[in-house]
Amino acid sequence: MIGGLLAGLFLVPVALLWLGHRLRRRAPGARAVFWGATAGHSIGILVTLAAAHYPPVLWTEGWRAVAVHWSMVAGALLGAAAGAVAGRGR
């Protein structure tokens, strides 16, 4: 379970750094994927912080753990998918 948190903290930003390299020279679809993934990861960070600071007594442990560990990865993937769909129309 901790692998999702580490992937969200380290692997997703490294992938975004790689995708953002020479962003102006890339196709508009790749730019849309980059910005979608960046926005999704940022929203995932907010969900992670909110879930981590919410009193765990009031939550079921399964949902809190999933929100804390996987929201950054899921946010980046969902944002990239939304960017791909939005960039397809350009």
Side-chain angles (χ1 to χ4, degrees):
M1 188 69 93
I2 194 83
L5 180 63
L6 291 175
L9 286 174
F10 298 110
L11 293 180
V12 172
V14 167
L16 289 174
L17 279 172
W18 175 78
L19 186 59
H21 185 65
R22 296 184 182 162
L23 187 64
R24 291 189 298 176
R25 296 182 188 173
R26 293 191 185 267
R31 281 186 248 154
V33 168
F34 171 79
W35 286 114
T38 302
H41 186 258
S42 298
I43 292 169
I45 289 172
L46 295 176
V47 171
T48 298
L49 289 173
H53 286 98
Y54 201 76
V57 174
L58 302 176
W59 280 43
T60 60
E61 183 59 32
W63 289 107
R64 183 177 179 271
V66 169
V68 168
H69 293 281
W70 291 101
S71 63
M72 289 185 280
V73 175
L77 291 176
L78 290 173
V85 169
R88 186 175 293 173
R90 291 182 181 188

